[in-house]
Amino acid sequence: MLSIAIIGRPNVGKSTLFNRLVGKKLALVHDLPGVTRDRKMAKTKFKDIDLEVIDTAGYEYSTEDNMESRMWKQTQMAINDADVCLFLFDARAGLQPYDEFFADLVRKTHKPVILLANKCEGRQQENGIGEAYKLGLGEPIAFSAEHTIGFDELYVQLMKLDDAKKEKEASEPQSTVIGEIPEDFVPVKDNKPIQVAFVGRPNVGKSTLVNALLGDERMLTGPEAGMTRDAITTEWTWKGQKFNLVDTAGLRRQAKVVNSLEKMSVESTKYAANMAQVVVLVLDADAVLDKQDLTIARNILDEGRALVIAVNKWDIAKRKETLDKLNYKLETSLTQAAGVPTVTISALKKEGLDKLMSALLKVYNRWNMRVPTAPLNKWFADVQEQNPAPLGKNKRRIKLKYITQAKTRPPSFYIFSSNPEGLPESYLRYLVNSLRATFNMGGIPLRVTVRKANNPYADKDK
């Protein structure tokens, strides 16, 4: 697989090219410069070339320890990891001082570079293409990521580099690891990656937590709120199980989201949470489960996702006060998923991470749970014997006949009744709470639907 890093100064079309190559709108695209801050990676196929594409932040020079310098470090990591760099410049605007300065830095890495004169939709860009020779990066390709101009020329260049990489790998001696399989090795039965999204308010430490799990400065972090703008997915393995960890932008109250870029970030976060299998709601220990946190948690459960709560910055928290407040909020304000696992962590000091992952796997298994028919119907008979269904809202007797599990992810059940419309909500909640407690399904949404049972004599009467 050929790894390519898309680089250049801000607003030259890097994210547009990234989206074109991967065939999806994975990266945020906006007229405002500097939208991309983190590295965003995706695997794709460009005709017959297997690619790993890396979108990077626009280069902005800074010698201070600020956001720009940290963004540049992320871009440097992308360049170091890549086999080839796609250097974009804006042919419409012509060469800028940053283009030349950045090109000089890229040349020093000795990485292969393909120069793309982007935004070449007309003849007026020809002067900009001619200026590009000053960069010393070879012959530029007249290109337009938005209008798919120059992609055939790009393919030819990438094919040459891909062939060269394959020849080099074929000529290298293959290393063989000799040794016995460890006694405690247990193969994972279903090793499909688990999709995990980390969500929460701005500046609670989501990116720091993902970096701590990965053991790498993969995400851009800093004291500035709203550092992350786009959902960034990273592949990771823990104790043999594969994960896709998704870092997301912070979610503020809807009334405070005013500009179009932040609205796009919010939509990206919501989409990532909806596509996840498990969502980790990261809280600041100084403000656990405030109104916005509760709104986020309810939305996660309404979408049918499994939920884990991670209370971050535990190393500096008022512990007893925080736990008392958290438990009270869970009992009174998040009753639709009793038993949500809560884990105290310190992402900065890498404390509590194994506990978090263990809780995450437990709730994932519950989310996939299928209750055997015999124990399910025994529970159903026992629970009605202990507390029979009352008269319905329409004053008619209610007979609950049987229950069946329709599906998993989340566990969904059908109860068949002679009078489904009349069953009071309070009795349905009683059944759900008993079902959750009996089969240990805390922390996940349960969907229980009451349906009308078929009359076996209906056809005979006709």
PDB file of all heavy atoms in Angstrom, residues 203-238:
ATOM      1  N   ASN A 203     -13.012  20.842  25.401  1.00  0.00           N
ATOM      2  CA  ASN A 203     -11.951  20.965  26.395  1.00  0.00           C
ATOM      3  C   ASN A 203     -12.093  20.045  27.608  1.00  0.00           C
ATOM      4  O   ASN A 203     -11.606  20.368  28.691  1.00  0.00           O
ATOM      5  CB  ASN A 203     -11.825  22.418  26.888  1.00  0.00           C
ATOM      6  CG  ASN A 203     -10.360  22.842  26.990  1.00  0.00           C
ATOM      7  OD1 ASN A 203      -9.509  22.354  26.274  1.00  0.00           O
ATOM      8  ND2 ASN A 203     -10.080  23.746  27.901  1.00  0.00           N
ATOM      9  N   VAL A 204     -12.763  18.897  27.437  1.00  0.00           N
ATOM     10  CA  VAL A 204     -12.851  17.943  28.542  1.00  0.00           C
ATOM     11  C   VAL A 204     -11.749  16.895  28.471  1.00  0.00           C
ATOM     12  O   VAL A 204     -11.612  16.080  29.385  1.00  0.00           O
ATOM     13  CB  VAL A 204     -14.229  17.245  28.579  1.00  0.00           C
ATOM     14  CG1 VAL A 204     -15.325  18.236  28.913  1.00  0.00           C
ATOM     15  CG2 VAL A 204     -14.523  16.515  27.283  1.00  0.00           C
ATOM     16  N   GLY A 205     -10.973  16.880  27.360  1.00  0.00           N
ATOM     17  CA  GLY A 205      -9.835  15.975  27.258  1.00  0.00           C
ATOM     18  C   GLY A 205     -10.051  14.782  26.350  1.00  0.00           C
ATOM     19  O   GLY A 205      -9.385  13.751  26.503  1.00  0.00           O
ATOM     20  N   LYS A 206     -10.935  14.911  25.361  1.00  0.00           N
ATOM     21  CA  LYS A 206     -11.195  13.783  24.446  1.00  0.00           C
ATOM     22  C   LYS A 206      -9.954  13.422  23.637  1.00  0.00           C
ATOM     23  O   LYS A 206      -9.580  12.250  23.543  1.00  0.00           O
ATOM     24  CB  LYS A 206     -12.359  14.145  23.500  1.00  0.00           C
ATOM     25  CG  LYS A 206     -13.673  14.429  24.205  1.00  0.00           C
ATOM     26  CD  LYS A 206     -14.796  14.742  23.237  1.00  0.00           C
ATOM     27  CE  LYS A 206     -14.568  16.041  22.471  1.00  0.00           C
ATOM     28  NZ  LYS A 206     -14.525  17.222  23.334  1.00  0.00           N
ATOM     29  N   SER A 207      -9.320  14.434  23.036  1.00  0.00           N
ATOM     30  CA  SER A 207      -8.130  14.171  22.214  1.00  0.00           C
ATOM     31  C   SER A 207      -6.971  13.658  23.060  1.00  0.00           C
ATOM     32  O   SER A 207      -6.224  12.763  22.636  1.00  0.00           O
ATOM     33  CB  SER A 207      -7.717  15.445  21.466  1.00  0.00           C
ATOM     34  OG  SER A 207      -8.732  15.872  20.590  1.00  0.00           O
ATOM     35  N   THR A 208      -6.822  14.207  24.258  1.00  0.00           N
ATOM     36  CA  THR A 208      -5.768  13.735  25.164  1.00  0.00           C
ATOM     37  C   THR A 208      -6.002  12.281  25.536  1.00  0.00           C
ATOM     38  O   THR A 208      -5.063  11.481  25.615  1.00  0.00           O
ATOM     39  CB  THR A 208      -5.727  14.607  26.435  1.00  0.00           C
ATOM     40  OG1 THR A 208      -5.569  15.982  26.070  1.00  0.00           O
ATOM     41  CG2 THR A 208      -4.582  14.205  27.346  1.00  0.00           C
ATOM     42  N   LEU A 209      -7.268  11.902  25.732  1.00  0.00           N
ATOM     43  CA  LEU A 209      -7.604  10.516  26.067  1.00  0.00           C
ATOM     44  C   LEU A 209      -7.279   9.581  24.905  1.00  0.00           C
ATOM     45  O   LEU A 209      -6.676   8.516  25.112  1.00  0.00           O
ATOM     46  CB  LEU A 209      -9.089  10.424  26.428  1.00  0.00           C
ATOM     47  CG  LEU A 209      -9.659   9.015  26.635  1.00  0.00           C
ATOM     48  CD1 LEU A 209      -8.859   8.245  27.678  1.00  0.00           C
ATOM     49  CD2 LEU A 209     -11.127   9.090  27.029  1.00  0.00           C
ATOM     50  N   VAL A 210      -7.630   9.950  23.690  1.00  0.00           N
ATOM     51  CA  VAL A 210      -7.327   9.105  22.532  1.00  0.00           C
ATOM     52  C   VAL A 210      -5.814   8.967  22.372  1.00  0.00           C
ATOM     53  O   VAL A 210      -5.299   7.867  22.120  1.00  0.00           O
ATOM     54  CB  VAL A 210      -7.968   9.672  21.254  1.00  0.00           C
ATOM     55  CG1 VAL A 210      -7.542   8.870  20.034  1.00  0.00           C
ATOM     56  CG2 VAL A 210      -9.495   9.667  21.366  1.00  0.00           C
ATOM     57  N   ASN A 211      -5.080  10.066  22.535  1.00  0.00           N
ATOM     58  CA  ASN A 211      -3.612   9.995  22.460  1.00  0.00           C
ATOM     59  C   ASN A 211      -3.046   9.071  23.530  1.00  0.00           C
ATOM     60  O   ASN A 211      -2.093   8.311  23.279  1.00  0.00           O
ATOM     61  CB  ASN A 211      -3.013  11.395  22.623  1.00  0.00           C
ATOM     62  CG  ASN A 211      -3.146  12.247  21.382  1.00  0.00           C
ATOM     63  OD1 ASN A 211      -3.437  11.744  20.299  1.00  0.00           O
ATOM     64  ND2 ASN A 211      -2.943  13.541  21.507  1.00  0.00           N
ATOM     65  N   ALA A 212      -3.619   9.126  24.737  1.00  0.00           N
ATOM     66  CA  ALA A 212      -3.137   8.280  25.832  1.00  0.00           C
ATOM     67  C   ALA A 212      -3.354   6.803  25.511  1.00  0.00           C
ATOM     68  O   ALA A 212      -2.490   5.959  25.781  1.00  0.00           O
ATOM     69  CB  ALA A 212      -3.844   8.656  27.135  1.00  0.00           C
ATOM     70  N   LEU A 213      -4.502   6.481  24.927  1.00  0.00           N
ATOM     71  CA  LEU A 213      -4.770   5.087  24.544  1.00  0.00           C
ATOM     72  C   LEU A 213      -3.817   4.619  23.452  1.00  0.00           C
ATOM     73  O   LEU A 213      -3.298   3.505  23.503  1.00  0.00           O
ATOM     74  CB  LEU A 213      -6.220   4.945  24.075  1.00  0.00           C
ATOM     75  CG  LEU A 213      -7.304   5.085  25.139  1.00  0.00           C
ATOM     76  CD1 LEU A 213      -8.687   5.181  24.494  1.00  0.00           C
ATOM     77  CD2 LEU A 213      -7.271   3.919  26.121  1.00  0.00           C
ATOM     78  N   LEU A 214      -3.585   5.487  22.472  1.00  0.00           N
ATOM     79  CA  LEU A 214      -2.717   5.127  21.348  1.00  0.00           C
ATOM     80  C   LEU A 214      -1.244   5.121  21.724  1.00  0.00           C
ATOM     81  O   LEU A 214      -0.425   4.501  21.046  1.00  0.00           O
ATOM     82  CB  LEU A 214      -2.937   6.110  20.190  1.00  0.00           C
ATOM     83  CG  LEU A 214      -4.329   6.145  19.556  1.00  0.00           C
ATOM     84  CD1 LEU A 214      -4.426   7.288  18.549  1.00  0.00           C
ATOM     85  CD2 LEU A 214      -4.639   4.820  18.875  1.00  0.00           C
ATOM     86  N   GLY A 215      -0.896   5.853  22.800  1.00  0.00           N
ATOM     87  CA  GLY A 215       0.516   5.992  23.152  1.00  0.00           C
ATOM     88  C   GLY A 215       1.278   6.839  22.164  1.00  0.00           C
ATOM     89  O   GLY A 215       2.473   6.643  21.949  1.00  0.00           O
ATOM     90  N   ASP A 216       0.561   7.799  21.547  1.00  0.00           N
ATOM     91  CA  ASP A 216       1.157   8.607  20.485  1.00  0.00           C
ATOM     92  C   ASP A 216       0.434   9.949  20.447  1.00  0.00           C
ATOM     93  O   ASP A 216      -0.752  10.034  20.763  1.00  0.00           O
ATOM     94  CB  ASP A 216       1.000   7.887  19.134  1.00  0.00           C
ATOM     95  CG  ASP A 216       1.649   8.642  17.980  1.00  0.00           C
ATOM     96  OD1 ASP A 216       2.596   9.402  18.232  1.00  0.00           O
ATOM     97  OD2 ASP A 216       1.194   8.470  16.834  1.00  0.00           O
ATOM     98  N   GLU A 217       1.153  10.988  20.037  1.00  0.00           N
ATOM     99  CA  GLU A 217       0.526  12.313  19.891  1.00  0.00           C
ATOM    100  C   GLU A 217      -0.207  12.367  18.559  1.00  0.00           C
ATOM    101  O   GLU A 217       0.110  13.168  17.685  1.00  0.00           O
ATOM    102  CB  GLU A 217       1.591  13.425  19.981  1.00  0.00           C
ATOM    103  CG  GLU A 217       2.220  13.559  21.349  1.00  0.00           C
ATOM    104  CD  GLU A 217       1.185  13.887  22.419  1.00  0.00           C
ATOM    105  OE1 GLU A 217       0.393  14.822  22.213  1.00  0.00           O
ATOM    106  OE2 GLU A 217       1.171  13.200  23.457  1.00  0.00           O
ATOM    107  N   ARG A 218      -1.189  11.500  18.424  1.00  0.00           N
ATOM    108  CA  ARG A 218      -1.930  11.388  17.155  1.00  0.00           C
ATOM    109  C   ARG A 218      -2.856  12.581  16.940  1.00  0.00           C
ATOM    110  O   ARG A 218      -3.026  13.062  15.824  1.00  0.00           O
ATOM    111  CB  ARG A 218      -2.730  10.074  17.176  1.00  0.00           C
ATOM    112  CG  ARG A 218      -3.693   9.882  16.029  1.00  0.00           C
ATOM    113  CD  ARG A 218      -2.961   9.737  14.712  1.00  0.00           C
ATOM    114  NE  ARG A 218      -3.895   9.643  13.602  1.00  0.00           N
ATOM    115  CZ  ARG A 218      -4.461  10.684  12.998  1.00  0.00           C
ATOM    116  NH1 ARG A 218      -4.176  11.908  13.397  1.00  0.00           N
ATOM    117  NH2 ARG A 218      -5.279  10.513  11.990  1.00  0.00           N
ATOM    118  N   MET A 219      -3.491  13.061  18.023  1.00  0.00           N
ATOM    119  CA  MET A 219      -4.432  14.168  17.936  1.00  0.00           C
ATOM    120  C   MET A 219      -3.794  15.458  18.432  1.00  0.00           C
ATOM    121  O   MET A 219      -2.997  15.458  19.368  1.00  0.00           O
ATOM    122  CB  MET A 219      -5.695  13.881  18.766  1.00  0.00           C
ATOM    123  CG  MET A 219      -6.364  12.561  18.430  1.00  0.00           C
ATOM    124  SD  MET A 219      -6.889  12.478  16.718  1.00  0.00           S
ATOM    125  CE  MET A 219      -7.246  10.728  16.594  1.00  0.00           C
ATOM    126  N   LEU A 220      -4.184  16.537  17.810  1.00  0.00           N
ATOM    127  CA  LEU A 220      -3.721  17.853  18.231  1.00  0.00           C
ATOM    128  C   LEU A 220      -4.392  18.202  19.549  1.00  0.00           C
ATOM    129  O   LEU A 220      -5.615  18.119  19.679  1.00  0.00           O
ATOM    130  CB  LEU A 220      -4.090  18.888  17.168  1.00  0.00           C
ATOM    131  CG  LEU A 220      -3.525  20.298  17.341  1.00  0.00           C
ATOM    132  CD1 LEU A 220      -2.015  20.294  17.197  1.00  0.00           C
ATOM    133  CD2 LEU A 220      -4.152  21.229  16.317  1.00  0.00           C
ATOM    134  N   THR A 221      -3.593  18.559  20.553  1.00  0.00           N
ATOM    135  CA  THR A 221      -4.135  18.933  21.857  1.00  0.00           C
ATOM    136  C   THR A 221      -3.553  20.275  22.286  1.00  0.00           C
ATOM    137  O   THR A 221      -2.541  20.732  21.760  1.00  0.00           O
ATOM    138  CB  THR A 221      -3.801  17.876  22.928  1.00  0.00           C
ATOM    139  OG1 THR A 221      -2.365  17.763  23.042  1.00  0.00           O
ATOM    140  CG2 THR A 221      -4.375  16.515  22.566  1.00  0.00           C
ATOM    141  N   GLY A 222      -4.199  20.892  23.258  1.00  0.00           N
ATOM    142  CA  GLY A 222      -3.736  22.171  23.767  1.00  0.00           C
ATOM    143  C   GLY A 222      -4.767  22.780  24.691  1.00  0.00           C
ATOM    144  O   GLY A 222      -5.887  22.264  24.834  1.00  0.00           O
ATOM    145  N   PRO A 223      -4.428  23.886  25.349  1.00  0.00           N
ATOM    146  CA  PRO A 223      -5.357  24.510  26.293  1.00  0.00           C
ATOM    147  C   PRO A 223      -6.540  25.202  25.623  1.00  0.00           C
ATOM    148  O   PRO A 223      -7.531  25.517  26.278  1.00  0.00           O
ATOM    149  CB  PRO A 223      -4.470  25.521  27.035  1.00  0.00           C
ATOM    150  CG  PRO A 223      -3.375  25.857  26.056  1.00  0.00           C
ATOM    151  CD  PRO A 223      -3.134  24.590  25.285  1.00  0.00           C
ATOM    152  N   GLU A 224      -6.435  25.459  24.307  1.00  0.00           N
ATOM    153  CA  GLU A 224      -7.506  26.173  23.623  1.00  0.00           C
ATOM    154  C   GLU A 224      -8.741  25.289  23.485  1.00  0.00           C
ATOM    155  O   GLU A 224      -8.646  24.135  23.076  1.00  0.00           O
ATOM    156  CB  GLU A 224      -7.059  26.621  22.218  1.00  0.00           C
ATOM    157  CG  GLU A 224      -5.822  27.507  22.204  1.00  0.00           C
ATOM    158  CD  GLU A 224      -4.520  26.729  22.110  1.00  0.00           C
ATOM    159  OE1 GLU A 224      -4.546  25.505  22.327  1.00  0.00           O
ATOM    160  OE2 GLU A 224      -3.474  27.352  21.838  1.00  0.00           O
ATOM    161  N   ALA A 225      -9.916  25.833  23.834  1.00  0.00           N
ATOM    162  CA  ALA A 225     -11.164  25.093  23.657  1.00  0.00           C
ATOM    163  C   ALA A 225     -11.492  25.004  22.169  1.00  0.00           C
ATOM    164  O   ALA A 225     -11.169  25.900  21.391  1.00  0.00           O
ATOM    165  CB  ALA A 225     -12.304  25.788  24.406  1.00  0.00           C
ATOM    166  N   GLY A 226     -12.148  23.896  21.782  1.00  0.00           N
ATOM    167  CA  GLY A 226     -12.540  23.740  20.379  1.00  0.00           C
ATOM    168  C   GLY A 226     -11.380  23.422  19.463  1.00  0.00           C
ATOM    169  O   GLY A 226     -11.410  23.740  18.279  1.00  0.00           O
ATOM    170  N   MET A 227     -10.348  22.763  19.984  1.00  0.00           N
ATOM    171  CA  MET A 227      -9.166  22.432  19.186  1.00  0.00           C
ATOM    172  C   MET A 227      -9.520  21.493  18.028  1.00  0.00           C
ATOM    173  O   MET A 227      -9.114  21.693  16.892  1.00  0.00           O
ATOM    174  CB  MET A 227      -8.111  21.779  20.092  1.00  0.00           C
ATOM    175  CG  MET A 227      -6.844  21.369  19.392  1.00  0.00           C
ATOM    176  SD  MET A 227      -5.813  22.773  18.981  1.00  0.00           S
ATOM    177  CE  MET A 227      -5.298  23.286  20.610  1.00  0.00           C
ATOM    178  N   THR A 228     -10.304  20.454  18.335  1.00  0.00           N
ATOM    179  CA  THR A 228     -10.693  19.487  17.301  1.00  0.00           C
ATOM    180  C   THR A 228     -11.905  20.009  16.540  1.00  0.00           C
ATOM    181  O   THR A 228     -12.884  20.435  17.130  1.00  0.00           O
ATOM    182  CB  THR A 228     -11.033  18.122  17.943  1.00  0.00           C
ATOM    183  OG1 THR A 228      -9.916  17.672  18.692  1.00  0.00           O
ATOM    184  CG2 THR A 228     -11.377  17.092  16.887  1.00  0.00           C
ATOM    185  N   ARG A 229     -11.827  19.955  15.213  1.00  0.00           N
ATOM    186  CA  ARG A 229     -12.941  20.417  14.381  1.00  0.00           C
ATOM    187  C   ARG A 229     -13.600  19.296  13.607  1.00  0.00           C
ATOM    188  O   ARG A 229     -14.752  19.389  13.223  1.00  0.00           O
ATOM    189  CB  ARG A 229     -12.442  21.476  13.392  1.00  0.00           C
ATOM    190  CG  ARG A 229     -12.245  22.848  14.025  1.00  0.00           C
ATOM    191  CD  ARG A 229     -11.700  23.816  13.007  1.00  0.00           C
ATOM    192  NE  ARG A 229     -11.744  25.192  13.487  1.00  0.00           N
ATOM    193  CZ  ARG A 229     -11.131  26.193  12.896  1.00  0.00           C
ATOM    194  NH1 ARG A 229     -10.410  25.982  11.801  1.00  0.00           N
ATOM    195  NH2 ARG A 229     -11.221  27.410  13.377  1.00  0.00           N
ATOM    196  N   ASP A 230     -12.864  18.255  13.337  1.00  0.00           N
ATOM    197  CA  ASP A 230     -13.351  17.189  12.476  1.00  0.00           C
ATOM    198  C   ASP A 230     -13.241  15.864  13.218  1.00  0.00           C
ATOM    199  O   ASP A 230     -12.422  15.719  14.125  1.00  0.00           O
ATOM    200  CB  ASP A 230     -12.499  17.147  11.197  1.00  0.00           C
ATOM    201  CG  ASP A 230     -13.243  16.553  10.031  1.00  0.00           C
ATOM    202  OD1 ASP A 230     -14.334  16.007  10.245  1.00  0.00           O
ATOM    203  OD2 ASP A 230     -12.725  16.642   8.899  1.00  0.00           O
ATOM    204  N   ALA A 231     -14.075  14.895  12.861  1.00  0.00           N
ATOM    205  CA  ALA A 231     -13.991  13.561  13.449  1.00  0.00           C
ATOM    206  C   ALA A 231     -12.811  12.814  12.834  1.00  0.00           C
ATOM    207  O   ALA A 231     -12.736  12.667  11.620  1.00  0.00           O
ATOM    208  CB  ALA A 231     -15.290  12.801  13.219  1.00  0.00           C
ATOM    209  N   ILE A 232     -11.887  12.354  13.683  1.00  0.00           N
ATOM    210  CA  ILE A 232     -10.667  11.689  13.217  1.00  0.00           C
ATOM    211  C   ILE A 232     -10.692  10.235  13.692  1.00  0.00           C
ATOM    212  O   ILE A 232     -10.795   9.966  14.889  1.00  0.00           O
ATOM    213  CB  ILE A 232      -9.400  12.384  13.768  1.00  0.00           C
ATOM    214  CG1 ILE A 232      -9.420  13.882  13.462  1.00  0.00           C
ATOM    215  CG2 ILE A 232      -8.153  11.721  13.214  1.00  0.00           C
ATOM    216  CD1 ILE A 232      -9.333  14.224  12.007  1.00  0.00           C
ATOM    217  N   THR A 233     -10.592   9.296  12.749  1.00  0.00           N
ATOM    218  CA  THR A 233     -10.630   7.864  13.063  1.00  0.00           C
ATOM    219  C   THR A 233      -9.221   7.275  13.008  1.00  0.00           C
ATOM    220  O   THR A 233      -8.473   7.530  12.072  1.00  0.00           O
ATOM    221  CB  THR A 233     -11.531   7.116  12.067  1.00  0.00           C
ATOM    222  OG1 THR A 233     -12.836   7.692  12.090  1.00  0.00           O
ATOM    223  CG2 THR A 233     -11.632   5.644  12.414  1.00  0.00           C
ATOM    224  N   THR A 234      -8.888   6.485  14.037  1.00  0.00           N
ATOM    225  CA  THR A 234      -7.579   5.828  14.101  1.00  0.00           C
ATOM    226  C   THR A 234      -7.764   4.361  14.445  1.00  0.00           C
ATOM    227  O   THR A 234      -8.491   4.027  15.386  1.00  0.00           O
ATOM    228  CB  THR A 234      -6.678   6.490  15.166  1.00  0.00           C
ATOM    229  OG1 THR A 234      -6.640   7.898  14.953  1.00  0.00           O
ATOM    230  CG2 THR A 234      -5.266   5.940  15.095  1.00  0.00           C
ATOM    231  N   GLU A 235      -7.100   3.480  13.695  1.00  0.00           N
ATOM    232  CA  GLU A 235      -7.144   2.044  13.990  1.00  0.00           C
ATOM    233  C   GLU A 235      -6.222   1.737  15.169  1.00  0.00           C
ATOM    234  O   GLU A 235      -5.138   2.308  15.283  1.00  0.00           O
ATOM    235  CB  GLU A 235      -6.721   1.238  12.762  1.00  0.00           C
ATOM    236  CG  GLU A 235      -7.654   1.396  11.576  1.00  0.00           C
ATOM    237  CD  GLU A 235      -7.153   0.677  10.337  1.00  0.00           C
ATOM    238  OE1 GLU A 235      -6.032   0.115  10.393  1.00  0.00           O
ATOM    239  OE2 GLU A 235      -7.865   0.681   9.318  1.00  0.00           O
ATOM    240  N   TRP A 236      -6.658   0.818  16.035  1.00  0.00           N
ATOM    241  CA  TRP A 236      -5.887   0.508  17.245  1.00  0.00           C
ATOM    242  C   TRP A 236      -6.263  -0.891  17.714  1.00  0.00           C
ATOM    243  O   TRP A 236      -7.382  -1.362  17.470  1.00  0.00           O
ATOM    244  CB  TRP A 236      -6.205   1.536  18.322  1.00  0.00           C
ATOM    245  CG  TRP A 236      -5.488   1.364  19.631  1.00  0.00           C
ATOM    246  CD1 TRP A 236      -4.135   1.359  19.824  1.00  0.00           C
ATOM    247  CD2 TRP A 236      -6.082   1.187  20.917  1.00  0.00           C
ATOM    248  NE1 TRP A 236      -3.853   1.198  21.161  1.00  0.00           N
ATOM    249  CE2 TRP A 236      -5.024   1.093  21.852  1.00  0.00           C
ATOM    250  CE3 TRP A 236      -7.394   1.107  21.366  1.00  0.00           C
ATOM    251  CZ2 TRP A 236      -5.250   0.919  23.212  1.00  0.00           C
ATOM    252  CZ3 TRP A 236      -7.627   0.929  22.728  1.00  0.00           C
ATOM    253  CH2 TRP A 236      -6.564   0.843  23.637  1.00  0.00           C
ATOM    254  N   THR A 237      -5.322  -1.574  18.365  1.00  0.00           N
ATOM    255  CA  THR A 237      -5.580  -2.916  18.895  1.00  0.00           C
ATOM    256  C   THR A 237      -5.243  -2.935  20.381  1.00  0.00           C
ATOM    257  O   THR A 237      -4.195  -2.438  20.796  1.00  0.00           O
ATOM    258  CB  THR A 237      -4.738  -3.975  18.155  1.00  0.00           C
ATOM    259  OG1 THR A 237      -5.067  -3.938  16.766  1.00  0.00           O
ATOM    260  CG2 THR A 237      -5.027  -5.366  18.680  1.00  0.00           C
ATOM    261  N   TRP A 238      -6.151  -3.489  21.179  1.00  0.00           N
ATOM    262  CA  TRP A 238      -5.950  -3.626  22.624  1.00  0.00           C
ATOM    263  C   TRP A 238      -6.251  -5.067  23.012  1.00  0.00           C
ATOM    264  O   TRP A 238      -7.349  -5.553  22.821  1.00  0.00           O
ATOM    265  CB  TRP A 238      -6.868  -2.659  23.375  1.00  0.00           C
ATOM    266  CG  TRP A 238      -6.703  -2.678  24.868  1.00  0.00           C
ATOM    267  CD1 TRP A 238      -5.683  -2.126  25.592  1.00  0.00           C
ATOM    268  CD2 TRP A 238      -7.599  -3.262  25.823  1.00  0.00           C
ATOM    269  NE1 TRP A 238      -5.883  -2.337  26.934  1.00  0.00           N
ATOM    270  CE2 TRP A 238      -7.048  -3.040  27.103  1.00  0.00           C
ATOM    271  CE3 TRP A 238      -8.792  -3.960  25.711  1.00  0.00           C
ATOM    272  CZ2 TRP A 238      -7.672  -3.477  28.262  1.00  0.00           C
ATOM    273  CZ3 TRP A 238      -9.414  -4.404  26.880  1.00  0.00           C
ATOM    274  CH2 TRP A 238      -8.858  -4.169  28.138  1.00  0.00           C
TER     275      TRP A 238
END
